[in-house]
Structure formats: C-alpha cells, structure tokens
C-alpha cells in the first residue's frame, strides 16, 4: 500500500488535501519566530490580538501551514522551476472574507486553495488549473462531531425538507452522523461560493441516494499511514422557489479523518476529482 510521494502526486490535475495537526503545545519559540518572519505586519497584528497563548500559537500555525503548503505545491507543479517563498504569498479577500491569491500570483502559480480548521486539525485544499480542468470555485470544511449538540432544532432552520426527511428516516443512532455529514458538506459549499451565511443553507441540498464509498490513502512523508473512507456521487441540488435544479458541474464529497472529525470538499470543476491526501507536520515546512 505504501508508495513514494513524488512531484507527480501534486500534479495540476489533482486535488491535494493536507491534514495538519494543530499541536500548539509542541510549537517551539524558534519555530514560532520562523513563522512570524513569513507574515506581513497586518497578519502579525491579527495573531497578536489573541489573548490566549494557545489561540495565538494556533493562529500562527494556520498561517504557517498555508504559506508553506502553497510554496511546496507551487514548487512541485512549476513547469519552469520557479519557486515562491512562504513569505512572498499575497492574499486578497472577498466581501465575506474568503481568501484568495492576488491575481498576479494566481496566474503565476495556477493554484486555487481553501482552508478550514476545527479543534486540533487544519485542512488545506489546493488545486491547480490544467487546460482541461477549469476550476472556478473551491471550498473545504472540517468539523468535529459533537455528541452534546442538540441537532433536531437545527434541522428546520438550516436543512431543506428533503434533507430533514431523509435524516429522520434513518435509525436513531445514524441520525447524528448524517447531520454532521450534511453540515460539513454545506459549510464546504458556502465556503466555495464565498458568500457566508448570506447564502441560505436552505437554498441548496445534498441527495445521498446514489452515494458511493471509496478509500483514500493518507500519506505521511513517503508512507501510507491510514486509509480514510470517503463518499462520492453525492448530488448537489439548487433550490429556487419551487424549482430544484441539479448542479451537475459540481463535484462534492465528504470523508472521515477519524471517529471525531469529518471533512468535505465542494468544487465547481469540469472533470472528475483525482485526490491526494497527506498528513503534514509544521516541522516539515520549517526545515
């Protein structure tokens, strides 16, 4: 099952998912200083505003992982050997705060990305633009499944009637799992659209009737360390009043990192996703 992770694994036709542990207690002061040197003044100020040291360190790690991963993928997918330093990445933000590369760097690198973090995990999704792979929108989400959440009052507010009915038809012990599956998918789609909660969660729905389970190898360095279950062939429907339209240009999937964490990806792309997953430690980017 093990195989080497070569430059081809980060090809422009692939969706690369990086799962990054936010073990802030293991971040040394030297490593924190290295990440700060990558950040422009405005990002350093944002991190410094966190009152708790743990939140400050996690904020640093999130920014360090993103910049380091973009440089890693840009280097491996470059056709002319060009590289971009983690400190050189520049971002712009949509009306609801969605980060993207500034247009010059997006054209230069060809990369699209999105990030999400919850609890002890960050996921960074990166995808390049190939000639036959025209990406316009990409969103990723990771969620911790909480046993204390009262899911039932939420259904009427954020899920469509079709989603709620399908969920409630499941055995009781499966309903909470379906809730977090749907919630993670919905968050990934909202993040792809970049509209935040200005986009009603009832304006789209997910149909699981044709769902297929697959396996995704999770690598650390050159070794497969786990096999993650992922679920594809999920139908995304767009609701406009009484009409429901299939969003057939979108690919959506969700998977389970472990028993506690789920992740989902939504991408408007005109070809089937080819996914590469890797667990990455912050020390690998600071060498």
């Amino acid at each position: 099952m093990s195989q080497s992770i070569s430059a081809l694994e980060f090809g422009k036709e692939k969706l690369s998912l990086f799962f990054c542990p936010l073990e802030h207690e293991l971040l040394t002061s030297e490593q924190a200083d290295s990440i700060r040197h990558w950040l422009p003044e405005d990002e350093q100020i944002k991190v410094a505003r966190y009152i708790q040291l743990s939140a400050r360190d996690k904020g640093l790690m999130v920014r360090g992982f993103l910049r380091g991963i973009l440089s890693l993928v840009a280097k491996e997918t470059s056709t002319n050997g060009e590289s971009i330093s983690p400190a050189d990445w520049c971002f712009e933000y949509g009306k609801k705060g969605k980060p993207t590369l500034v247009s010059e760097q997006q054209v230069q690198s060809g990369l699209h990305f999105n990030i999400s973090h919850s609890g002890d995990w960050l996921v960074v999704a990166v995808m390049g633009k190939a000639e036959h792979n025209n990406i316009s929108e990409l969103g990723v989400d990771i969620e911790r499944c909480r046993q204390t959440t009262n899911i039932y009052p939420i259904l009427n507010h954020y899920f469509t009637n079709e989603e709620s009915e399908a969920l409630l038809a499941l055995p009781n012990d499966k309903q909470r799992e379906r809730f977090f599956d749907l919630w993670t998918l919905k968050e990934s789609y909202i993040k792809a659209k970049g509209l935040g909660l200005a986009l009603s969660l009832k304006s789209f729905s997910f149909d699981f009737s044709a769902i297929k389970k697959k396996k995704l190898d999770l690598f650390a360095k050159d070794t497969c360390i786990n096999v993650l279950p992922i679920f594809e062939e999920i139908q995304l429907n767009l609701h406009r009043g009484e009409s429901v339209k299939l969003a057939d240009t979108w690919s959506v999937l969700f998977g389970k990192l472990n028993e506690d964490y789920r992740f989902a990806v939504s991408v408007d792309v005109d070809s089937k996703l080819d996914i590469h997953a890797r667990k990455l430690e912050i020390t690998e980017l600071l060498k």
Side-chain angles (χ1 to χ4, degrees), residues 12 82 97 115 143 158 242 246-247 249 256 272 274 285:
K12 291 188 177 182
E82 286 187 9
I115 69 171
E143 297 286 343
Y158 298 116
E242 298 297 322
L246 172 64
T249 65
K256 297 179 181 179
K272 188 174 179 62
D274 186 6
L285 299 173

Side-chain angles (χ1 to χ4, degrees), residues 160-176:
T160 65
N161 291 335
E162 294 85 351
E163 290 171 326
S164 296
E165 289 172 1
L167 182 150
L168 293 172
L170 296 172
N172 288 341
D173 61 341
K174 299 295 183 182
Q175 292 180 11
R176 180 172 295 275

Side-chain angles (χ1 to χ4, degrees), residues 68-138:
I69 287 169
L70 288 174
S71 290
L72 173 67
V73 179
K75 179 180 179 181
E76 298 293 354
T77 58
S78 174
T79 57
N80 56 13
E82 286 187 9
S83 61
I84 301 175
S85 165
D88 290 338
W89 293 105
C90 297
F91 306 104
E92 57 188 16
Y93 300 87
K95 292 182 179 179
K96 299 297 180 179
K98 181 181 180 180
T100 58
L101 293 175
V102 295
S103 57
E104 181 181 350
Q105 287 187 337
Q106 202 284 314
V107 171
Q108 177 185 359
S109 67
L111 299 182
H112 297 260
F113 76 91
N114 198 238
I115 69 171
S116 176
H117 56 91
S118 176
D120 297 327
W121 286 96
L122 163 74
V123 59
V124 179
V126 185
M127 198 168 186
K129 181 178 179 181
E131 290 182 3
H132 62 286
N133 191 10
N134 187 25
I135 310 159
S136 59
E137 295 167 305
L138 168 65

Side-chain angles (χ1 to χ4, degrees), residues 144-183:
R144 180 169 49 186
C145 183
R146 303 171 186 86
Q147 297 300 321
T148 57
T149 300
N150 186 357
I151 66 173
Y152 299 103
I154 301 174
L155 297 182
N156 292 333
H157 291 288
Y158 298 116
F159 290 3
T160 65
N161 291 335
E162 294 85 351
E163 290 171 326
S164 296
E165 289 172 1
L167 182 150
L168 293 172
L170 296 172
N172 288 341
D173 61 341
K174 299 295 183 182
Q175 292 180 11
R176 180 172 295 275
E177 287 195 22
R178 174 59 58 85
F179 172 86
F180 280 100
D181 296 341
L182 282 167
W183 188 265

Side-chain angles (χ1 to χ4, degrees), residues 214-245:
K214 294 178 63 177
K215 295 178 180 179
L216 176 65
D217 290 342
L218 176 65
F219 288 88
K221 298 182 180 178
D222 293 341
T223 304
C224 179
I225 60 170
N226 199 0
V227 179
L228 307 180
I230 61 170
F231 301 85
E232 299 180 319
E233 305 299 331
I234 302 165
Q235 182 174 307
L236 170 62
N237 295 315
L238 305 180
H239 297 244
R240 298 292 183 269
E242 298 297 322
S243 67
V244 180
K245 179 183 177 183

